[in-house]
Amino acid sequence: MKTEIVPLDLIAWNPYRDMDLYPLAPDHIVDLQRSLKEHGFFGGVKARRRSGMVEIGCGHHRIAAARKSKLGSVEIRIDDIDDDDMIRLMTVENATQSGAHPGAILNEVAAVTRRLVEIIMPTAKLSGISESLFDSDQAFQQAKRKLLDRLRDPDKDGGIGTPLILRYLGQGDEKDSPRSKQQIIDAISTLKQSGRYDEIIDNALRQHPPATDAEPTNGTAVKTMQPRKPRKRLIDDRCANLFPNDHQFHAFRDAVTTEAAQKAIPVEEQYALAEHIMNRPAEFSKKQTGAPYIKMIVQDRVQQFLKAQRGIDREERERFLAQQMEARIDAELHTARASLRSLISALGKLDALADRFPEHPKLGGFSVRLDTLVTAINQLAKKLK
């Protein structure tokens, strides 16, 4: 490892740092700018050379602060760092500086998932990769079989499981993982609910085809992967970065993914709601915002929606009944007009017959019915005035 002065415009981010899942925090950059102004740039940023650029494994906020401060170059420790070490550098820094930040954990699980697909798929046998990841060749083949099945059928749910991610982060020993089993389980669940998990796995499968001697479980040849049927999104994973720790985010996630909340709070509105929740009065810090408070705000929003929905349902019912009444009146008027036209025509013909046969008994008897008709018409006319 050697220390070099590197121009900032030649520094690139860690390729396993997903800035959508775990973006830089503007407030932290501002704090680091103040520190830079007073103390200068703190070294210790480790990096590697790739394609004419210097890719950093950690220290993203420090580099961003240096750029904001208009520094021309900074001191970087450059070494021959492989992809696995790039992920470990990122994970250790996150665990040390960000603690249980849910966005950081999502990014790490996504990075490891992608990396494990890169490792497993092009390899035919366990001996071709680090054996610390698998207990046996059978375990390796089982993991690969799930990915091959998914490649053959894009609607398969096979992927990278929690135990393998734990072993990877612990460099062969789950107990040494900087992230707990529950944190990884929750991160995988969130990535699946947001639709990001399918995207990560499928893109990695397309970029890293299986070894030439690999066959799916049914013996058919692996074909080009077809597009996956889109799945319903339940959570906006960007919300994870609005909460300082994972228990806050999981309280929010659990609250907004209930059946009632999905109707009341569309995924597109979740980020704004999370911002509203974390913008508490000044006497409360963001870290003091507990799970009960978060769930209460979500439940209040759901109750408001349901109350408004009941009002809408009542209005719709009244509107429906009014429309039904209008349709009935129109139908009766149509019938009455048609009958009235027939009656007027018949009365005209009867009037002509009465002129010719004024004393005919049948015509005289019909006059009584005409009196009844006149009475009914007068009564209706009074009501319609």
Side-chain angles (χ1 to χ4, degrees):
M1 181 182 296
K2 60 180 179 179
T3 300
E4 297 184 18
I5 303 299
V6 180
L8 286 171
D9 58 2
L10 291 182
I11 294 178
W13 298 142
N14 187 325
Y16 290 95
R17 173 71 181 260
D18 188 327
M19 290 298 178
D20 290 329
L21 277 175
Y22 187 36
L24 299 179
D27 292 345
H28 187 34
I29 293 174
V30 171
D31 291 339
L32 288 173
Q33 282 184 268
R34 296 193 190 100
S35 176
L36 276 172
K37 187 175 181 180
E38 185 174 353
H39 304 290
F41 184 82
F42 284 101
V45 175
K46 296 180 180 180
R48 67 183 182 183
R49 292 195 178 277
R50 284 291 187 278
S51 303
M53 300 292 289
V54 174
E55 289 182 349
I56 59 172
C58 57
H60 294 80
H61 283 93
R62 277 179 281 172
I63 297 301
R67 286 174 173 162
K68 287 280 188 180
S69 300
K70 307 297 184 183
L71 298 185
S73 57
V74 293
E75 188 179 89
I76 301 291
R77 299 168 65 184
I78 298 178
D79 200 357
D80 185 15
I81 304 174
D82 62 20
D83 288 336
D84 299 315
D85 284 333
M86 291 290 278
I87 293 176
R88 292 187 187 106
L89 281 170
M90 178 182 68
T91 303
V92 170
E93 181 187 53
N94 290 342
T96 302
Q97 297 187 5
S98 303
H101 190 289
I105 299 172
L106 286 181
N107 177 63
E108 293 156 14
V109 171
V112 174
T113 299
R114 171 184 155 196
R115 176 59 184 151
L116 286 170
V117 175
E118 294 173 356
I119 292 173
I120 295 171
M121 289 305 288
T123 308
K125 298 180 180 179
L126 178 60
S127 58
I129 64 174
S130 172
E131 297 184 13
S132 64
L133 291 174
F134 298 95
D135 294 326
S136 63
D137 184 67
Q138 181 181 1
F140 166 73
Q141 296 299 339
Q142 183 178 4
K144 185 160 188 173
R145 192 176 302 118
K146 290 181 180 179
L147 293 173
L148 288 170
D149 286 345
R150 186 183 178 106
L151 183 62
R152 178 174 52 84
D153 181 356
D155 291 318
K156 287 279 188 180
D157 286 330
I160 302 297
T162 298
L164 188 52
I165 294 176
L166 278 171
R167 288 177 70 91
Y168 179 92
L169 290 175
Q171 300 186 58
D173 191 338
E174 295 182 12
K175 298 189 295 297
D176 292 335
S177 169
R179 299 304 185 187
S180 70
K181 180 179 180 180
Q182 190 58 51
Q183 286 176 325
I184 293 174
I185 290 173
D186 289 333
I188 291 176
S189 176
T190 298
L191 290 170
K192 286 183 176 180
Q193 289 177 329
S194 71
R196 187 90 61 168
Y197 187 82
D198 286 339
E199 180 183 315
I200 294 166
I201 294 283
D202 294 346
N203 286 343
L205 285 173
R206 292 187 183 97
Q207 294 171 14
H208 301 277
T212 54
D213 60 342
E215 293 290 329
T217 53
N218 66 354
T220 60
V222 176
K223 298 181 180 179
T224 302
M225 190 171 188
Q226 299 300 312
R228 172 181 297 277
K229 295 176 183 178
R231 302 187 187 189
K232 182 181 178 182
R233 289 180 67 217
L234 300 179
I235 187 72
D236 183 344
D237 51 41
R238 297 178 305 153
C239 296
N241 292 288
L242 297 175
F243 298 94
N245 54 65
D246 53 357
H247 79 267
Q248 291 173 319
F249 171 63
H250 296 148
F252 177 79
R253 186 195 67 185
D254 292 345
V256 298
T257 54
T258 63
E259 184 176 352
Q262 286 287 294
K263 295 178 181 178
I265 311 165
V267 174
E268 295 76 17
E269 297 179 11
Q270 291 175 358
Y271 191 85
L273 178 58
E275 283 187 314
H276 168 71
I277 290 173
M278 297 311 293
N279 289 332
R280 298 193 66 182
E283 62 266 23
F284 295 99
S285 72
K286 289 187 176 182
K287 290 185 178 181
Q288 291 174 320
T289 303
Y293 173 80
I294 293 170
K295 290 183 177 181
M296 180 189 71
I297 296 298
V298 175
Q299 290 166 0
D300 284 348
R301 182 68 62 89
V302 173
Q303 290 299 322
Q304 292 171 15
F305 169 82
L306 294 176
K307 183 178 179 180
Q309 189 63 47
R310 284 193 292 270
I312 293 172
D313 291 343
R314 183 168 57 252
E315 291 175 2
E316 289 181 346
R317 184 170 60 253
E318 292 173 353
R319 186 161 52 250
F320 172 76
L321 292 175
Q323 291 171 347
Q324 292 291 97
M325 183 58 67
E326 288 292 321
R328 181 178 176 184
I329 290 173
D330 289 342
E332 293 297 339
L333 285 173
H334 176 77
T335 301
R337 289 190 185 101
S339 299
L340 185 58
R341 285 193 296 270
S342 298
L343 178 60
I344 292 173
S345 176
L347 288 175
K349 293 176 182 178
L350 286 172
D351 183 61
L353 289 172
D355 288 339
R356 293 181 62 187
F357 311 105
E359 303 297 332
H360 196 286
K362 289 184 178 180
L363 294 174
F366 187 71
S367 66
V368 177
R369 294 192 176 185
L370 288 177
D371 290 340
T372 303
L373 175 62
V374 170
T375 301
I377 291 173
N378 288 334
Q379 290 176 347
L380 177 62
K382 289 180 180 178
K383 293 180 179 179
L384 296 180
K385 287 182 177 178

